[in-house]
Amino acid sequence: MPTAYGFQDVVVKGFVAEVVILCGGKEIARHQRCYGEGVFVADPLHYLALIETKPGALDQAAALQGWALPDVFQHLRHLLEARMGNRGKREFIQVLRLLEALPLDTVTDAVTQAIQIGAVGFDAIKLIALARIAQRPARLDLAAYPHLPRTAVKTTSAADYAVLAA
């Protein structure tokens, strides 16, 4: 169940095919029932809030083992950690937390687009994903990303070509 409901009274209803967990009459989790002995069934999305508080547990968390995310997420993680170190791991977890509210394909497309345009960061990915849902183009202000490399493109004048003729 989501970690936000830890240490609260819950009702667990076991059915033939699934298990439903309720808190205060509200359904907070639903899983396929597993009849295997000692089998750990978890939804990785339920643990992301906890892992955000302890990013060092990202690689060891049992709930995240075997989570089949598209390869672009691992590429994003490498880029973030290479650029920002431990802060990059925290930023990657924030990107994963977008999956709590947005569909996987929307977040995957946003991550892919962010990598393509070089705006690798949680804010950019969130903005792209929300723009995709609203069916409008994303407007990125790169001034908000001081860690990104800057490029300067100047207007070419006719005098610049004079050097080639000499």
Side-chain angles (χ1 to χ4, degrees):
M1 66 184 205
T3 56
Y5 295 96
F7 304 105
Q8 294 185 32
D9 292 334
V10 297
V11 174
V12 179
K13 293 184 176 183
F15 300 101
V16 174
E18 62 188 1
V19 174
V20 178
I21 303 172
L22 305 157
C23 183
K26 175 183 163 197
E27 181 179 312
I28 59 171
R30 179 180 295 262
H31 295 283
Q32 291 290 333
R33 186 160 184 169
C34 180
Y35 287 98
E37 187 175 321
V39 177
F40 181 69
V41 177
D43 182 349
L45 297 176
H46 293 170
Y47 292 85
L48 292 176
L50 179 62
I51 290 174
E52 189 173 25
T53 64
K54 297 199 177 275
L58 181 62
D59 296 319
Q60 291 81 28
L64 302 183
Q65 301 304 315
W67 192 13
L69 288 171
D71 293 337
V72 72
F73 282 89
Q74 195 60 32
H75 181 59
L76 172 69
R77 181 177 177 186
H78 289 306
L79 290 173
L80 289 170
E81 288 180 1
R83 186 172 292 145
M84 295 186 276
N86 197 40
R87 217 175 98 231
K89 188 180 283 189
R90 289 182 183 276
E91 190 120 343
F92 177 69
I93 295 167
Q94 286 181 309
V95 171
L96 291 178
R97 292 212 56 198
L98 288 173
L99 294 170
E100 295 171 338
L102 302 174
L104 176 62
D105 60 330
T106 301
V107 178
T108 302
D109 291 344
V111 168
T112 302
Q113 186 178 351
I115 291 172
Q116 288 172 349
I117 65 174
V120 180
F122 166 71
D123 294 327
I125 292 167
K126 180 179 178 182
L127 184 69
I128 292 168
L130 293 176
R132 185 173 297 270
I133 289 171
Q135 298 179 346
R136 62 172 175 74
R139 292 191 190 106
L140 295 174
D141 179 12
L142 293 179
Y145 304 97
H147 56 278
L148 294 178
R150 299 280 179 228
T151 58
V153 180
K154 64 178 189 171
T155 305
T156 306
S157 67
D160 293 337
Y161 292 105
V163 190
L164 299 174

